[in-house]
Amino acid sequence: MNRYPALLPGGKIGVFGSGQLGRMLALAAHPLGIRVHTFSPESDTPTGQVCEKEICASYDDRDAVRAFVRGVDAVTFEFENVPAHVAEIAAEVGKPVRPGGHVLHVAQNRLREKSFFADAGLPVTPFVPVQSLADLQAALAQLGTPAVLKTAAFGYDGKGQVKIDNPAQAGDAWQAMGGQPAILEAFVLFEQEVSVVAARGADGTFAAFPLVENRHVNHILDVTIAPAPVSAEVAAEAQQLTRRLMDALDVVGVLAVELFLLPEKNPHTSAQSVSSAFYSGRLLINEIAPRPHNSGHWTIEGAVTSQFEQQARAVCGLPLGSSAQTRPAVMVNLLGDLWAQGEPHWAALLAFPNAKLHLYGKSAARPGRKMGHVTVTAKTVDEAFATAMAARKSLVG
Ligand code: AMP
């Protein structure tokens, strides 16, 4: 139940974490008259550069966490792996914590997350918990190969996972996990990876952005295409699943659901056998992120209300805005690899009048590091896609 009054202009959101998501949240909160403070172990951060106050302290410094929370009116997180005591302290101090610590608890661990989906009756990739090599061998016998072994805790962007193509690889795969608790998942031969970003207000209202297609390179998001090229039924089902999930988890804030879209009719793929065993639909939930998401960055230019403004509204206890899409949009990520030959050619990119550049203010460009993104909106998705690709290519001559 929502027992807090809405924040008014001049109110302060405290964000734990200081990356690009907090940065874009701060930029979206400003026009609403809402100030943002950030807390993380680093200084001169993407969020800190654009917000009112940047606190540099360890998450384990409980006094610093408490003092930070006392200085704001509502608390949120820009990544889900902040230690659990941070949300507990924030709740003890008596400030709204959105989303609540229970949401982080579920999202911090794949086993808890997938068990939650299954218990809520939501379609999820078949999985089996694995605590030992013997468990893994039994799980492989149950799910078959290929399969994917993933650490239960703290995995993202494909980190902490290994594909197993035949049972003889079990020993090596288990060693690669370093003895950590894990889950084994059936390998899904998906047709597309898609996601829904949605917001849920403090009063339970729900607003979902259109379903988008995500293309990854080396397990890192490369391109988001909005809307996804799917039928209206699939798009509506994905939004419906997201609504059920956010209601069941009682989320206040923005949440992204990443899903696999199974092929329509192909009795010879394991994807089909995965689905027909227990589920007649075409969407399987892979994972969630209880925060704005890389696959929602296009909403800054392509929707009536961006995912970051929705997050600000939800965290403040204000009404949500419209999530309607205004134009077809394509977003491409700019990774540190683009700096391999020196500074990218920014003027060349900015010569594309419809390419909107977002740089995150990170000083060190490492390969695979998300340094920024570009969004192009256009009359058609094809036009937006072609322009976004050409614009990014122009950065490296
Ligand atoms: P994750 O860290 O779970 O998001 O996985 C990263 C990427 O690995 C996903 O975006 C997929 O491309 C791929 N992947 C993860 N799990 C599976 C699976 N069960 N079957 C097929 N591909 C997968």
Side-chain angles (χ1 to χ4, degrees):
M1 203 187 63
N2 176 31
R3 58 193 175 91
Y4 298 99
L7 268 66
L8 298 169
K12 299 184 186 108
I13 297 177
V15 185
F16 284 97
S18 59
Q20 63 266 22
L21 301 177
R23 179 185 182 95
M24 290 184 271
L25 172 66
L27 294 172
H30 251 259
L32 303 176
I34 299 295
R35 298 152 185 250
V36 169
H37 294 185
T38 180
F39 183 111
S40 80
E42 280 111 48
S43 57
D44 190 30
T45 58
T47 310
Q49 289 164 13
V50 303
C51 75
E52 187 177 69
K53 199 166 178 184
E54 177 176 48
I55 300 297
C56 176
S58 162
Y59 295 116
D60 293 327
D61 182 344
R62 291 168 186 245
D63 291 338
V65 169
R66 199 168 286 111
F68 176 77
V69 172
R70 289 205 175 110
V72 298
D73 304 301
V75 170
T76 191
F77 308 90
E78 65 108 69
F79 75 125
E80 51 274 25
N81 288 328
V82 288
H85 67 252
V86 172
E88 284 160 20
I89 291 171
E92 267 165 39
V93 173
K95 301 290 164 73
V97 181
R98 294 168 173 158
H102 65 285
V103 178
L104 299 189
H105 181 71
V106 169
Q108 282 176 353
N109 181 286
R110 288 186 205 275
L111 179 55
R112 283 200 290 270
E113 190 175 273
K114 302 223 175 206
S115 305
F116 177 85
F117 304 151
D119 292 348
L122 294 161
V124 57
T125 309
F127 67 96
V128 177
V130 171
Q131 306 265 16
S132 65
L133 179 56
D135 281 358
L136 175 58
Q137 283 157 341
L140 283 167
Q142 187 181 334
L143 293 180
T145 49
V148 190
L149 185 65
K150 302 179 177 182
T151 51
F154 297 152
Y156 66 94
D157 285 348
K159 296 194 174 75
Q161 54 176 278
V162 35
K163 188 169 173 227
I164 302 179
D165 289 309
N166 67 69
Q169 295 167 346
D172 287 348
W174 180 243
Q175 238 179 1
M177 289 289 116
Q180 295 179 71
I183 61 170
L184 186 75
E185 277 179 31
F187 188 78
V188 180
L189 296 177
F190 49 77
E191 186 178 284
Q192 268 178 50
E193 291 193 75
V194 292
S195 62
V196 178
V197 174
R200 188 166 175 273
D203 60 357
T205 49
F206 174 83
F209 294 104
L211 185 72
V212 297
E213 178 186 355
N214 299 315
R215 298 187 186 168
H216 296 84
V217 173
N218 296 329
H219 291 285
I220 300 172
L221 183 64
D222 183 47
V223 182
T224 294
I225 297 166
V230 299
S231 67
E233 290 74 30
V234 166
E237 189 194 346
Q239 291 187 337
Q240 208 42 46
L241 291 175
T242 305
R243 180 173 208 151
R244 278 172 54 201
L245 193 157
M246 289 180 84
D247 284 343
L249 201 49
D250 192 18
V251 177
V252 177
V254 166
L255 179 141
V257 185
E258 295 184 49
L259 309 109
F260 297 136
L261 177 65
L262 304 175
E264 203 158 12
K265 257 200 194 84
N266 188 348
H268 302 298
T269 63
S270 72
Q272 186 63 20
S273 59
V274 159
S275 73
S276 60
F278 70 111
Y279 170 62
S280 59
R282 290 183 59 202
L283 291 161
L284 293 177
I285 298 175
N286 176 33
E287 62 182 9
I288 57 170
R291 50 169 169 75
H293 190 254
N294 197 166
S295 71
H297 291 356
W298 66 272
T299 59
I300 296 174
E301 287 87 8
V304 174
T305 312
S306 76
Q307 63 167 348
F308 300 102
E309 182 177 340
Q310 294 289 45
Q311 175 76 349
R313 287 170 178 247
V315 172
C316 290
L318 295 164
L320 300 178
S322 162
S323 285
Q325 182 163 5
T326 50
R327 295 254 286 172
V330 169
M331 187 254 9
V332 291
N333 268 339
L334 305 179
L335 300 185
D337 310 61
L338 288 167
W339 275 251
Q341 309 300 328
E343 192 68 21
H345 303 169
W346 301 115
L349 182 133
L350 293 169
F352 288 80
N354 295 329
K356 304 301 287 186
L357 174 64
H358 298 256
L359 288 174
Y360 304 151
K362 298 180 185 178
S363 48
R366 291 189 292 274
R369 189 173 197 206
K370 291 175 182 170
M371 303 296 288
H373 74 264
V374 174
T375 298
V376 175
T377 60
K379 271 207 226 57
T380 64
V381 161
D382 287 346
E383 192 185 323
F385 187 88
T387 307
M389 289 299 162
R392 181 167 65 178
K393 203 165 166 211
S394 75
L395 285 174
V396 287

